[in-house]
């Protein structure tokens, strides 16, 4: 099972790296649109000194990987190195989509959407593209700020001053592209990686807990509580699950106790090495 997960994540990162490279090579650089973070510095290096993007990407991201090594899990660092290698490789390939237009807003929009999809794919597969995603991952882990919002902040630090080189209009297009990529990234991560906190109040809590544990292999916390009106002890069950698990979990609870009170809340961030053991 472990090897299957590693293979699946590794393949997903390769796909994300390809989409990322297409966004840069075929939509952003040909139309003089900048980027944020390391990618922005990579584009500026190409515009001003003609430094190949693959080289700049590899060198600068290597330095940020060293920073992330102290704060992030070793697995994340390993997947990030894998992502950087493939991005650097794909950036050296010829153009895949030969697209030229004088309507520069179009490549900015398409590039932003593709960048958001690429980063969401890589982050969903437990990796990063280094650069601002390393910093965003650290901020998300310790402060709970969404990855896309944190990335947008760090990217703008590079994107806004880039107007001196790429011009005011292209700087505005860069900001539009960064905003779109952040929105797409947040939306996709919320959809695919969202967690739900479920509180269940029922007189048949023991049966519900046993059933959920057996059917879903899901950790469950039993919280001792007391009703105010009757002053009667009423234990509650607390479960962290995915949106997909929730769709099945609620009907199971209703089958056991149709009068059970089920409260569902969205969870911004869950940090635990072994969630089942903690619950």
């Amino acid at each position: 099972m472990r090897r299957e997960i590693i293979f699946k994540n590794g393949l997903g990162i390769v796909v994300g790296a390809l989409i990322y490279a297409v966004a840069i090579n075929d939509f952003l650089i040909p139309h003089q649109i900048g980027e944020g973070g390391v990618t922005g510095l990579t584009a500026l290096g190409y515009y001003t000194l003609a430094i190949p993007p693959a080289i700049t990407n590899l060198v600068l991201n290597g330095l940020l990987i060293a920073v992330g090594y102290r704060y992030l899990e070793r697995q994340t660092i390993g997947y990030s190195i894998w992502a950087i290698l493939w991005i650097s490789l794909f950036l050296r390939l010829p153009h895949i989509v030969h697209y030229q237009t004088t309507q520069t807003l179009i490549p900015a929009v398409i590039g932003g959407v593709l960048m958001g999809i690429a980063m969401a794919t890589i982050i969903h597969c437990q990796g990063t593209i280094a650069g601002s995603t390393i910093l965003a991952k650290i901020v998300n882990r310790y402060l709970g700020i969404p990855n896309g919002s944190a990335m947008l902040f760090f990217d703008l630090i590079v994107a806004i001053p880039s107007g001196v080189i790429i011009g005011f209009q292209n700087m505005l297009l860069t900001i539009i592209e960064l905003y779109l990529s952040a929105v797409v990234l947040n939306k996709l991560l919320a959809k695919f990686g969202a967690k739900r906190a479920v509180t269940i109040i029922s007189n048949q809590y023991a049966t519900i807990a046993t059933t959920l544990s057996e059917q879903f292999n899901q950790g469950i916390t039993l919280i001792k509580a007391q009703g105010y009106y009757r002053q009667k002890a009423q234990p509650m069950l607390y479960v962290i699950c995915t949106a997909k698990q929730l769709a099945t979990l609620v009907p199971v609870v209703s089958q056991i106790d149709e009068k059970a009170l089920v409260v569902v809340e969205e969870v911004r961030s869950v940090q635990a090495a072994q969630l089942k053991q903690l619950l």
Side-chain angles (χ1 to χ4, degrees):
M1 185 65 180
R2 173 70 176 174
R3 290 182 179 178
E4 292 179 2
I5 294 175
I6 293 176
F7 177 78
K8 181 180 178 181
N9 286 342
L11 183 60
I13 287 173
V14 172
V15 173
L18 178 60
I19 298 173
Y20 187 87
V22 168
I24 295 175
N25 279 344
D26 296 285
F27 293 97
L28 301 185
I29 288 181
H31 299 91
Q32 287 277 304
I33 299 172
E35 244 293 325
V38 167
T39 307
L41 295 175
T42 296
L44 293 178
Y46 178 79
Y47 297 146
T48 57
L49 302 174
I51 301 175
I55 296 177
T56 313
N57 176 74
L58 193 61
V59 173
L60 295 180
N61 279 328
L63 295 175
L64 283 170
I65 283 289
V67 174
Y69 188 82
R70 180 176 179 181
Y71 298 100
L72 299 176
E73 297 176 0
R74 300 297 174 262
Q75 175 180 272
T76 300
I77 296 300
Y79 282 133
S80 298
I81 294 174
W82 178 251
I84 293 169
L85 291 175
W86 279 101
I87 289 174
S88 299
L89 174 63
F90 288 139
L91 285 174
R92 296 179 65 88
L93 296 178
H95 293 294
I96 297 176
V97 180
H98 297 276
Y99 178 74
Q100 289 291 336
T101 178
T102 56
Q103 302 295 325
T104 48
L105 182 60
I106 298 175
V109 171
I110 297 175
V113 172
L114 289 178
M115 292 288 277
I117 294 172
M119 289 185 290
T121 301
I122 293 173
I123 292 176
H124 180 64
C125 293
Q126 308 303 314
T128 71
I129 58 170
S132 55
T133 57
I134 283 280
L135 301 177
K137 197 88 170 178
I138 293 172
V139 170
N140 175 260
R141 178 174 183 178
Y142 292 100
L143 300 180
I145 298 175
N147 284 283
S149 302
M151 282 184 60
L152 180 61
F153 171 77
F154 291 118
D155 286 343
L156 288 176
I157 294 176
V158 173
I160 293 176
S162 71
V164 177
I165 297 174
I166 63 177
F168 182 72
Q169 176 176 296
N170 284 356
M171 181 198 72
L172 294 179
L173 290 172
T174 299
I175 293 175
I176 292 172
E177 181 268 322
L178 289 174
Y179 175 75
L180 287 174
S181 66
V183 170
V184 172
L185 174 60
N186 281 337
K187 292 291 185 182
L188 289 178
L189 290 181
K191 181 177 181 179
F192 296 117
K195 299 291 184 181
R196 300 290 186 269
V198 184
T199 302
I200 304 169
I201 302 176
S202 169
N203 293 327
Q204 302 184 50
Y205 64 88
T207 304
I208 294 173
T210 301
T211 303
L212 294 180
S213 181
E214 292 177 351
Q215 290 192 17
F216 298 96
N217 195 28
Q218 177 68 53
I220 299 171
T221 297
L222 181 64
I223 302 174
K224 293 183 179 180
Q226 179 175 302
Y228 174 78
Y229 182 74
R230 296 183 179 180
Q231 294 296 306
K232 178 183 177 182
Q234 180 61 68
M236 301 188 303
L237 301 178
Y238 186 78
V239 184
I240 299 293
C241 65
T242 64
K244 183 178 180 180
Q245 290 173 321
L246 179 65
T248 310
L249 183 148
V250 174
V252 169
V253 173
S254 298
Q255 287 178 1
I256 298 174
D257 182 5
E258 60 181 14
K259 296 182 179 180
L261 175 63
V262 180
V263 181
V264 181
E265 299 175 284
E266 290 190 0
V267 177
R268 173 175 292 181
S269 178
V270 177
Q271 298 293 337
Q274 294 292 334
L275 184 61
K276 182 182 178 182
Q277 293 179 8
L278 292 177
L279 299 179

